[in-house]
mmCIF file of all heavy atoms in Angstrom:
data_model
loop_
_atom_site.group_PDB
_atom_site.id
_atom_site.type_symbol
_atom_site.label_atom_id
_atom_site.label_comp_id
_atom_site.label_asym_id
_atom_site.label_seq_id
_atom_site.Cartn_x
_atom_site.Cartn_y
_atom_site.Cartn_z
ATOM 1 N N GLU A 1 0.890 -1.165 0.000
ATOM 2 C CA GLU A 1 0.000 0.000 0.000
ATOM 3 C C GLU A 1 0.924 1.209 0.000
ATOM 4 O O GLU A 1 1.375 1.670 1.048
ATOM 5 C CB GLU A 1 -0.904 -0.029 1.230
ATOM 6 C CG GLU A 1 -1.924 1.064 1.287
ATOM 7 C CD GLU A 1 -3.019 0.913 0.243
ATOM 8 O OE1 GLU A 1 -3.408 -0.209 -0.091
ATOM 9 O OE2 GLU A 1 -3.479 1.962 -0.241
ATOM 10 N N GLY A 2 1.258 1.690 -1.197
ATOM 11 C CA GLY A 2 2.277 2.729 -1.306
ATOM 12 C C GLY A 2 3.629 2.123 -0.958
ATOM 13 O O GLY A 2 4.021 1.103 -1.511
ATOM 14 N N THR A 3 4.307 2.722 -0.009
ATOM 15 C CA THR A 3 5.613 2.209 0.414
ATOM 16 C C THR A 3 5.506 1.269 1.609
ATOM 17 O O THR A 3 6.518 0.778 2.095
ATOM 18 C CB THR A 3 6.548 3.379 0.787
ATOM 19 O OG1 THR A 3 5.942 4.128 1.846
ATOM 20 C CG2 THR A 3 6.799 4.281 -0.406
ATOM 21 N N VAL A 4 4.306 1.033 2.078
ATOM 22 C CA VAL A 4 4.091 0.203 3.271
ATOM 23 C C VAL A 4 3.736 -1.217 2.851
ATOM 24 O O VAL A 4 2.906 -1.426 1.968
ATOM 25 C CB VAL A 4 2.968 0.798 4.152
ATOM 26 C CG1 VAL A 4 2.750 -0.052 5.388
ATOM 27 C CG2 VAL A 4 3.282 2.228 4.535
ATOM 28 N N LYS A 5 4.371 -2.194 3.504
ATOM 29 C CA LYS A 5 4.063 -3.602 3.267
ATOM 30 C C LYS A 5 3.122 -4.063 4.376
ATOM 31 O O LYS A 5 3.384 -3.822 5.548
ATOM 32 C CB LYS A 5 5.326 -4.440 3.265
ATOM 33 C CG LYS A 5 6.254 -4.090 2.133
ATOM 34 C CD LYS A 5 7.515 -4.897 2.170
ATOM 35 C CE LYS A 5 8.449 -4.329 1.151
ATOM 36 N NZ LYS A 5 9.098 -5.196 0.318
ATOM 37 N N LEU A 6 2.025 -4.713 3.974
ATOM 38 C CA LEU A 6 1.034 -5.181 4.937
ATOM 39 C C LEU A 6 0.832 -6.685 4.781
ATOM 40 O O LEU A 6 0.882 -7.206 3.662
ATOM 41 C CB LEU A 6 -0.308 -4.482 4.702
ATOM 42 C CG LEU A 6 -0.322 -2.973 4.858
ATOM 43 C CD1 LEU A 6 -0.409 -2.308 3.514
ATOM 44 C CD2 LEU A 6 -1.487 -2.563 5.697
ATOM 45 N N ILE A 7 0.584 -7.346 5.905
ATOM 46 C CA ILE A 7 0.189 -8.752 5.908
ATOM 47 C C ILE A 7 -1.047 -8.862 6.782
ATOM 48 O O ILE A 7 -1.009 -8.522 7.971
ATOM 49 C CB ILE A 7 1.300 -9.672 6.446
ATOM 50 C CG1 ILE A 7 2.536 -9.615 5.547
ATOM 51 C CG2 ILE A 7 0.781 -11.108 6.541
ATOM 52 C CD1 ILE A 7 3.691 -10.473 6.022
ATOM 53 N N PHE A 8 -2.146 -9.316 6.188
ATOM 54 C CA PHE A 8 -3.387 -9.516 6.922
ATOM 55 C C PHE A 8 -3.541 -11.001 7.210
ATOM 56 O O PHE A 8 -3.323 -11.824 6.327
ATOM 57 C CB PHE A 8 -4.586 -9.001 6.119
ATOM 58 C CG PHE A 8 -4.586 -7.514 5.943
ATOM 59 C CD1 PHE A 8 -4.054 -6.935 4.802
ATOM 60 C CD2 PHE A 8 -5.103 -6.698 6.931
ATOM 61 C CE1 PHE A 8 -4.034 -5.566 4.647
ATOM 62 C CE2 PHE A 8 -5.093 -5.321 6.783
ATOM 63 C CZ PHE A 8 -4.557 -4.749 5.643
ATOM 64 N N SER A 9 -3.901 -11.308 8.434
ATOM 65 C CA SER A 9 -4.090 -12.699 8.831
ATOM 66 C C SER A 9 -5.294 -12.794 9.748
ATOM 67 O O SER A 9 -5.855 -11.783 10.167
ATOM 68 C CB SER A 9 -2.832 -13.202 9.550
ATOM 69 O OG SER A 9 -2.922 -14.581 9.778
ATOM 70 N N SER A 10 -5.676 -14.014 10.077
ATOM 71 C CA SER A 10 -6.790 -14.218 11.009
ATOM 72 C C SER A 10 -6.336 -13.871 12.422
ATOM 73 O O SER A 10 -5.169 -13.559 12.648
ATOM 74 C CB SER A 10 -7.275 -15.667 10.930
ATOM 75 O OG SER A 10 -6.193 -16.545 11.178
ATOM 76 N N THR A 11 -7.249 -13.931 13.369
ATOM 77 C CA THR A 11 -6.885 -13.642 14.760
ATOM 78 C C THR A 11 -5.810 -14.622 15.215
ATOM 79 O O THR A 11 -5.659 -15.710 14.640
ATOM 80 C CB THR A 11 -8.096 -13.755 15.704
ATOM 81 O OG1 THR A 11 -8.548 -15.108 15.700
ATOM 82 C CG2 THR A 11 -9.205 -12.800 15.307
ATOM 83 N N LEU A 12 -5.073 -14.255 16.219
ATOM 84 C CA LEU A 12 -4.002 -15.117 16.718
ATOM 85 C C LEU A 12 -4.542 -16.475 17.166
ATOM 86 O O LEU A 12 -3.906 -17.504 16.927
ATOM 87 C CB LEU A 12 -3.254 -14.426 17.860
ATOM 88 C CG LEU A 12 -2.425 -13.213 17.435
ATOM 89 C CD1 LEU A 12 -1.967 -12.425 18.654
ATOM 90 C CD2 LEU A 12 -1.242 -13.643 16.579
ATOM 91 N N GLN A 13 -5.729 -16.489 17.790
ATOM 92 C CA GLN A 13 -6.315 -17.747 18.241
ATOM 93 C C GLN A 13 -6.634 -18.648 17.052
ATOM 94 O O GLN A 13 -6.359 -19.848 17.076
ATOM 95 C CB GLN A 13 -7.597 -17.501 19.066
ATOM 96 C CG GLN A 13 -7.386 -16.742 20.341
ATOM 97 C CD GLN A 13 -7.484 -15.219 20.162
ATOM 98 O OE1 GLN A 13 -7.316 -14.679 19.064
ATOM 99 N NE2 GLN A 13 -7.729 -14.524 21.253
ATOM 100 N N GLN A 14 -7.233 -18.098 15.994
ATOM 101 C CA GLN A 14 -7.564 -18.882 14.805
ATOM 102 C C GLN A 14 -6.309 -19.335 14.075
ATOM 103 O O GLN A 14 -6.225 -20.466 13.600
ATOM 104 C CB GLN A 14 -8.459 -18.070 13.861
ATOM 105 C CG GLN A 14 -9.831 -17.804 14.402
ATOM 106 C CD GLN A 14 -10.599 -16.792 13.544
ATOM 107 O OE1 GLN A 14 -10.020 -16.007 12.810
ATOM 108 N NE2 GLN A 14 -11.918 -16.816 13.677
ATOM 109 N N LEU A 15 -5.321 -18.469 13.993
ATOM 110 C CA LEU A 15 -4.074 -18.804 13.319
ATOM 111 C C LEU A 15 -3.340 -19.915 14.045
ATOM 112 O O LEU A 15 -2.734 -20.782 13.413
ATOM 113 C CB LEU A 15 -3.188 -17.557 13.208
ATOM 114 C CG LEU A 15 -1.906 -17.697 12.398
ATOM 115 C CD1 LEU A 15 -2.217 -18.050 10.944
ATOM 116 C CD2 LEU A 15 -1.097 -16.414 12.476
ATOM 117 N N ASP A 16 -3.419 -19.922 15.368
ATOM 118 C CA ASP A 16 -2.754 -20.954 16.158
ATOM 119 C C ASP A 16 -3.312 -22.338 15.828
ATOM 120 O O ASP A 16 -2.590 -23.329 15.896
ATOM 121 C CB ASP A 16 -2.912 -20.654 17.653
ATOM 122 C CG ASP A 16 -2.093 -21.592 18.520
ATOM 123 O OD1 ASP A 16 -0.886 -21.764 18.207
ATOM 124 O OD2 ASP A 16 -2.641 -22.160 19.478
ATOM 125 N N GLU A 17 -4.577 -22.415 15.458
ATOM 126 C CA GLU A 17 -5.225 -23.694 15.155
ATOM 127 C C GLU A 17 -5.222 -24.008 13.656
ATOM 128 O O GLU A 17 -5.842 -24.987 13.233
ATOM 129 C CB GLU A 17 -6.659 -23.668 15.676
ATOM 130 C CG GLU A 17 -6.723 -23.519 17.180
ATOM 131 C CD GLU A 17 -8.129 -23.255 17.688
ATOM 132 O OE1 GLU A 17 -9.082 -23.232 16.877
ATOM 133 O OE2 GLU A 17 -8.266 -23.049 18.902
ATOM 134 N N ASP A 18 -4.531 -23.217 12.841
ATOM 135 C CA ASP A 18 -4.521 -23.390 11.390
ATOM 136 C C ASP A 18 -3.096 -23.616 10.890
ATOM 137 O O ASP A 18 -2.383 -22.666 10.555
ATOM 138 C CB ASP A 18 -5.117 -22.144 10.737
ATOM 139 C CG ASP A 18 -5.164 -22.224 9.229
ATOM 140 O OD1 ASP A 18 -4.956 -23.324 8.666
ATOM 141 O OD2 ASP A 18 -5.426 -21.176 8.603
ATOM 142 N N PRO A 19 -2.635 -24.894 10.825
ATOM 143 C CA PRO A 19 -1.258 -25.170 10.382
ATOM 144 C C PRO A 19 -0.974 -24.673 8.961
ATOM 145 O O PRO A 19 0.113 -24.157 8.697
ATOM 146 C CB PRO A 19 -1.144 -26.692 10.449
ATOM 147 C CG PRO A 19 -2.320 -27.174 11.200
ATOM 148 C CD PRO A 19 -3.350 -26.104 11.187
ATOM 149 N N ASN A 20 -1.941 -24.786 8.061
ATOM 150 C CA ASN A 20 -1.739 -24.322 6.692
ATOM 151 C C ASN A 20 -1.590 -22.796 6.655
ATOM 152 O O ASN A 20 -0.743 -22.266 5.934
ATOM 153 C CB ASN A 20 -2.894 -24.780 5.795
ATOM 154 C CG ASN A 20 -2.610 -24.533 4.336
ATOM 155 O OD1 ASN A 20 -1.488 -24.750 3.882
ATOM 156 N ND2 ASN A 20 -3.610 -24.078 3.605
ATOM 157 N N GLY A 21 -2.403 -22.097 7.423
ATOM 158 C CA GLY A 21 -2.301 -20.635 7.497
ATOM 159 C C GLY A 21 -0.946 -20.201 8.040
ATOM 160 O O GLY A 21 -0.352 -19.236 7.542
ATOM 161 N N LYS A 22 -0.441 -20.912 9.065
ATOM 162 C CA LYS A 22 0.872 -20.584 9.631
ATOM 163 C C LYS A 22 1.971 -20.803 8.594
ATOM 164 O O LYS A 22 2.907 -20.002 8.501
ATOM 165 C CB LYS A 22 1.150 -21.420 10.873
ATOM 166 C CG LYS A 22 0.373 -20.963 12.097
ATOM 167 C CD LYS A 22 0.893 -21.593 13.354
ATOM 168 C CE LYS A 22 0.197 -22.894 13.633
ATOM 169 N NZ LYS A 22 0.512 -23.452 14.955
ATOM 170 N N LYS A 23 1.845 -21.852 7.806
ATOM 171 C CA LYS A 23 2.849 -22.168 6.789
ATOM 172 C C LYS A 23 2.891 -21.060 5.732
ATOM 173 O O LYS A 23 3.960 -20.595 5.345
ATOM 174 C CB LYS A 23 2.519 -23.512 6.153
ATOM 175 C CG LYS A 23 3.517 -23.977 5.141
ATOM 176 C CD LYS A 23 3.122 -25.337 4.597
ATOM 177 C CE LYS A 23 4.068 -25.797 3.518
ATOM 178 N NZ LYS A 23 3.687 -27.091 2.959
ATOM 179 N N ILE A 24 1.718 -20.633 5.266
ATOM 180 C CA ILE A 24 1.646 -19.558 4.265
ATOM 181 C C ILE A 24 2.185 -18.249 4.850
ATOM 182 O O ILE A 24 2.937 -17.522 4.199
ATOM 183 C CB ILE A 24 0.202 -19.381 3.759
ATOM 184 C CG1 ILE A 24 -0.256 -20.639 3.026
ATOM 185 C CG2 ILE A 24 0.080 -18.159 2.856
ATOM 186 C CD1 ILE A 24 -1.745 -20.663 2.708
ATOM 187 N N LEU A 25 1.823 -17.968 6.102
ATOM 188 C CA LEU A 25 2.311 -16.754 6.771
ATOM 189 C C LEU A 25 3.827 -16.779 6.885
ATOM 190 O O LEU A 25 4.489 -15.775 6.642
ATOM 191 C CB LEU A 25 1.666 -16.598 8.151
ATOM 192 C CG LEU A 25 2.137 -15.403 8.973
ATOM 193 C CD1 LEU A 25 1.791 -14.087 8.268
ATOM 194 C CD2 LEU A 25 1.520 -15.434 10.361
ATOM 195 N N TRP A 26 4.401 -17.909 7.247
ATOM 196 C CA TRP A 26 5.849 -18.020 7.396
ATOM 197 C C TRP A 26 6.537 -17.716 6.063
ATOM 198 O O TRP A 26 7.551 -17.022 6.022
ATOM 199 C CB TRP A 26 6.236 -19.391 7.921
ATOM 200 C CG TRP A 26 7.717 -19.573 7.975
ATOM 201 C CD1 TRP A 26 8.458 -20.481 7.281
ATOM 202 C CD2 TRP A 26 8.655 -18.807 8.740
ATOM 203 N NE1 TRP A 26 9.782 -20.330 7.555
ATOM 204 C CE2 TRP A 26 9.942 -19.304 8.457
ATOM 205 C CE3 TRP A 26 8.532 -17.734 9.620
ATOM 206 C CZ2 TRP A 26 11.095 -18.782 9.018
ATOM 207 C CZ3 TRP A 26 9.692 -17.218 10.189
ATOM 208 C CH2 TRP A 26 10.944 -17.734 9.900
ATOM 209 N N GLY A 27 5.973 -18.225 4.957
ATOM 210 C CA GLY A 27 6.549 -17.922 3.642
ATOM 211 C C GLY A 27 6.512 -16.424 3.339
ATOM 212 O O GLY A 27 7.459 -15.873 2.781
ATOM 213 N N SER A 28 5.430 -15.774 3.713
ATOM 214 C CA SER A 28 5.311 -14.325 3.500
ATOM 215 C C SER A 28 6.283 -13.560 4.382
ATOM 216 O O SER A 28 6.878 -12.557 3.945
ATOM 217 C CB SER A 28 3.887 -13.860 3.784
ATOM 218 O OG SER A 28 2.993 -14.449 2.869
ATOM 219 N N LEU A 29 6.475 -14.003 5.615
ATOM 220 C CA LEU A 29 7.413 -13.324 6.520
ATOM 221 C C LEU A 29 8.833 -13.414 5.994
ATOM 222 O O LEU A 29 9.607 -12.459 6.109
ATOM 223 C CB LEU A 29 7.309 -13.929 7.928
ATOM 224 C CG LEU A 29 6.011 -13.696 8.683
ATOM 225 C CD1 LEU A 29 5.997 -14.482 9.982
ATOM 226 C CD2 LEU A 29 5.784 -12.215 8.944
ATOM 227 N N LYS A 30 9.179 -14.532 5.391
ATOM 228 C CA LYS A 30 10.530 -14.691 4.824
ATOM 229 C C LYS A 30 10.739 -13.725 3.662
ATOM 230 O O LYS A 30 11.859 -13.253 3.437
ATOM 231 C CB LYS A 30 10.765 -16.138 4.379
ATOM 232 C CG LYS A 30 10.930 -17.088 5.555
ATOM 233 C CD LYS A 30 11.531 -18.427 5.156
ATOM 234 C CE LYS A 30 10.608 -19.230 4.277
ATOM 235 N NZ LYS A 30 11.074 -20.605 4.038
#
C-alpha cells in the first residue's frame, strides 16, 4: 500500500489452530 508492506491474517487464536495458514504466513514473513 504505497511504500508500506502489509500482511493480513486471522486472529491469533484462529491462526494458532490453522497449520496451513501458519505455513503460508511463514513464507510471506521470509
Side-chain angles (χ1 to χ4, degrees):
E1 184 70 34
T3 59
V4 180
K5 295 178 189 226
L6 298 106
I7 297 179
F8 293 95
S9 188
S10 56
T11 64
L12 291 168
Q13 297 89 338
Q14 292 170 338
L15 186 62
D16 187 49
E17 297 170 3
D18 180 12
N20 190 41
K22 285 193 270 189
K23 183 178 177 181
I24 296 170
L25 178 63
W26 175 243
S28 296
L29 293 174
K30 288 196 293 188

